Amino acid sequence: MRLLTHNMLSCNIKGVTNGFPLIIEAEKVLEKPVDLNPDFLRNMFHKVEWKALVDAAKSLGYSELPESVDPAMLESPEFLHRFHHALLELHLEEGALVCPETGRKFPVNKGIPNMLLHEDEV
Amino acid sequence: MASRPELQAPPEIFYDDTEARKYTSSSRIIDIQARLSERALELLALPDDGIPRLLLDIGCGSGLSGETLSENGHVWVGLDISQSMLNIALEREAEGDLLLGDMGQGLGLRPGVIDGAISISAVQWLCNADKSSHEPRLRLKAFFGSLYRCLARGARAVFQVYPESIAQRELILSSAMRAGFAGGVVVDYPHSSKSRKEYLVLTCGPPSISTAVPKGKGDDGESSSDESSGDDENRTVSISDRHRPRKKQKLNKRGKGREWVLKKKEQMRRKGNVVPPDSKFTARKRKARF
């Protein structure tokens, strides 16, 4: 699972008001290089919750993202490269996602988070 | 034709390893899936500016539909309830991220982040209650409600569906409308029974010009032979065959009558069989109270 998906994903348990961001417990992290597309990054920049991305990247062991950003930084190729690396190239392969409110664990196996809820959580 | 998969078992059980394997080995299934997802992407009507969009593939299964999205340069996230199908997707090295989840429980996604959603032959599963806790109406509501939230303003969602009946289509459509979607059903090849395909085209937000439902293919009697020429066993019955009159039935309503019985008895006598003599009762109808 890429951090792009992590940044979109929130906890879906009934009654949880603030299920975002899910805390990452990483056991195995992979890096899969993909082509950089500046247009896509500029498009996604406004949708990404920056703080959640920085924290998620840190929990995967990548801490080169700046803490605060503004759209002007999108012009810098170096920033774009880091953004791209964190958003699309880091993969959480094994581990778990933890709901910040209830502490419920969603296991991640082979890069696929199991988001199935139990019947009493729907 | 085999009966509908929805009637056989819940999706997480029906799509087991053997069923999932078909999605890599059968070129026919692969071909159909690719064609359906291409059409769905076309109906999604994303702006043609070459910028990759973040799309959602609901019921992505083995990632066949996602492959079409990747080929068109988009980034996608897939959701499916069957682990076996997702394993196949991993095997096929699907480029999108995969999630194991149940769409009937709602999509746990942040509001307004997704640029479009497609779903190939999945939404009709929501109409079934596979567990005692399942209530199709509530599951459809949870699904469409959460989908509406996570889509960006003006984004579209295209679902290819196989509704079992008119009532099922109504149920799906009314749930979508109640969640706030505008749109309707696009039917490709409405005159053909096999290549007829229904697409639910929904737009997030109030009705406007952009929410006008596009026209289906083959709407004006155009035949689908050019489309389905590839698969011979899938050839549909042409209309002239269907309307050919049945063979004339010799039996009329009143039964065979006295003359017929007398003629038959005469024939049997000539053959030398023992036949009761003719009388005023021969071939007479019994009274109703008998």
Side-chain angles (χ1 to χ4, degrees):
Chain A
M1 185 188 69
R2 293 166 297 191
L3 291 190
L4 168 71
T5 310
H6 170 261
N7 210 283
M8 304 301 153
L9 214 54
S10 73
C11 176
N12 199 25
I13 297 174
K14 191 181 183 184
V16 169
T17 47
N18 193 15
F20 181 84
L22 295 161
I23 302 154
I24 298 181
E25 285 180 4
E27 284 170 23
K28 189 175 161 202
V29 180
L30 285 185
E31 284 185 29
K32 296 178 192 165
V34 278
D35 294 338
L36 190 146
N37 186 328
D39 287 334
F40 177 68
L41 291 177
R42 281 188 199 110
N43 201 16
M44 285 312 296
F45 181 76
H46 304 284
K47 293 182 179 171
V48 167
E49 280 278 333
W50 190 257
K51 195 177 169 322
L53 181 66
V54 173
D55 291 344
K58 271 184 192 158
S59 57
L60 296 193
Y62 183 75
S63 53
E64 286 174 40
L65 288 175
E67 289 289 339
S68 61
V69 280
D70 61 285
M73 291 171 81
L74 284 170
E75 301 306 317
S76 134
E78 194 196 353
F79 171 74
L80 275 184
H81 185 77
R82 285 180 186 173
F83 184 32
H84 170 75
H85 181 73
L87 198 67
L88 297 172
E89 292 187 331
L90 288 177
H91 285 253
L92 175 63
E93 191 71 4
E94 300 282 338
L97 302 174
V98 183
C99 169
E101 203 170 304
T102 57
R104 158 83 145 86
K105 269 193 188 182
F106 299 98
V108 180
N109 292 319
K110 289 185 277 182
I112 303 177
N114 181 346
M115 301 306 286
L116 286 172
L117 301 179
H118 302 307
E119 280 181 15
D120 55 337
E121 295 170 333
V122 181
Chain B
M1 196 180 130
S3 82
R4 300 171 62 92
E6 292 87 29
L7 302 180
Q8 295 178 25
E12 64 271 33
I13 293 167
F14 178 78
Y15 289 108
D16 56 1
D17 288 338
T18 35
E19 187 66 27
R21 183 56 59 195
K22 291 183 193 166
Y23 284 76
T24 50
S25 54
S26 161
S27 60
R28 189 179 138 259
I29 289 184
I30 294 177
D31 187 46
I32 291 177
Q33 290 276 323
R35 217 185 294 150
L36 290 177
S37 38
E38 228 154 81
R39 175 71 173 142
L41 186 63
E42 185 185 330
L43 289 172
L44 209 51
L46 294 166
D48 192 17
D49 49 10
I51 298 176
R53 309 278 159 172
L54 181 61
L55 303 180
L56 190 64
D57 185 356
I58 299 151
C60 63
S62 54
L64 286 170
S65 38
E67 243 164 59
T68 311
L69 301 181
S70 297
E71 274 167 24
N72 287 279
H74 297 292
V75 178
W76 56 278
V77 176
L79 176 89
D80 205 283
I81 196 171
S82 160
Q83 182 71 55
S84 304
M85 291 293 267
L86 291 176
N87 287 341
I88 297 287
L90 283 182
E91 227 173 82
R92 295 178 65 90
E93 298 180 341
E95 280 179 48
D97 271 347
L98 306 168
L99 302 173
L100 179 65
D102 181 359
M103 57 178 166
Q105 296 175 342
L107 316 162
L109 294 167
R110 256 187 330 120
V113 289
I114 306 289
D115 296 315
I118 68 163
S119 161
I120 306 299
S121 327
V123 177
Q124 73 268 13
W125 285 98
L126 281 177
C127 297
N128 292 24
D130 295 320
K131 292 178 189 156
S132 58
S133 60
H134 283 187
E135 166 62 55
R137 233 166 250 283
L138 291 181
R139 285 166 61 76
L140 280 163
K141 187 181 163 208
F143 169 65
F144 282 115
S146 59
L147 180 70
Y148 189 84
R149 279 194 295 279
C150 75
L151 284 177
R153 278 272 142 212
R156 272 189 181 186
V158 177
F159 306 129
Q160 189 270 318
V161 284
Y162 292 113
E164 195 177 10
S165 58
I166 296 173
Q168 221 175 56
R169 184 189 306 130
E170 289 280 297
L171 179 66
I172 296 176
L173 209 53
S174 67
S175 312
M177 298 300 148
R178 216 164 285 155
F181 283 105
V185 182
V186 174
V187 183
D188 280 1
Y189 310 114
H191 306 299
S192 159
S193 54
K194 264 278 169 59
S195 48
R196 173 195 166 98
K197 295 280 182 284
E198 289 188 17
Y199 298 85
L200 223 62
V201 181
L202 303 172
T203 311
C204 200
S208 69
I209 304 165
S210 65
T211 65
V213 176
K215 219 166 167 270
K217 277 185 187 173
D219 230 351
D220 36 5
E222 164 199 338
S223 85
S224 64
S225 56
D226 52 335
E227 281 287 309
S228 59
S229 55
D231 34 11
D232 273 0
E233 67 266 72
N234 253 359
R235 199 52 74 71
T236 52
V237 179
S238 73
I239 290 181
S240 62
D241 282 343
R242 223 185 300 156
H243 289 280
R244 193 170 53 195
R246 290 274 181 87
K247 249 187 197 164
K248 249 192 194 152
Q249 298 276 316
K250 284 191 183 120
L251 246 167
N252 59 8
K253 243 195 188 142
R254 283 182 292 122
K256 292 197 164 143
R258 187 176 160 85
E259 297 90 75
W260 184 83
V261 172
L262 289 176
K263 197 181 95 194
K264 276 285 171 195
K265 284 176 97 170
E266 193 51 48
Q267 268 179 10
M268 291 300 130
R269 255 181 228 119
R270 264 187 268 125
K271 273 189 177 176
N273 290 356
V274 184
V275 178
D278 298 340
S279 73
K280 64 174 182 179
F281 301 109
T282 302
R284 187 191 271 190
K285 208 166 182 267
R286 286 192 208 278
K287 278 186 177 155
R289 70 166 180 271
F290 177 78

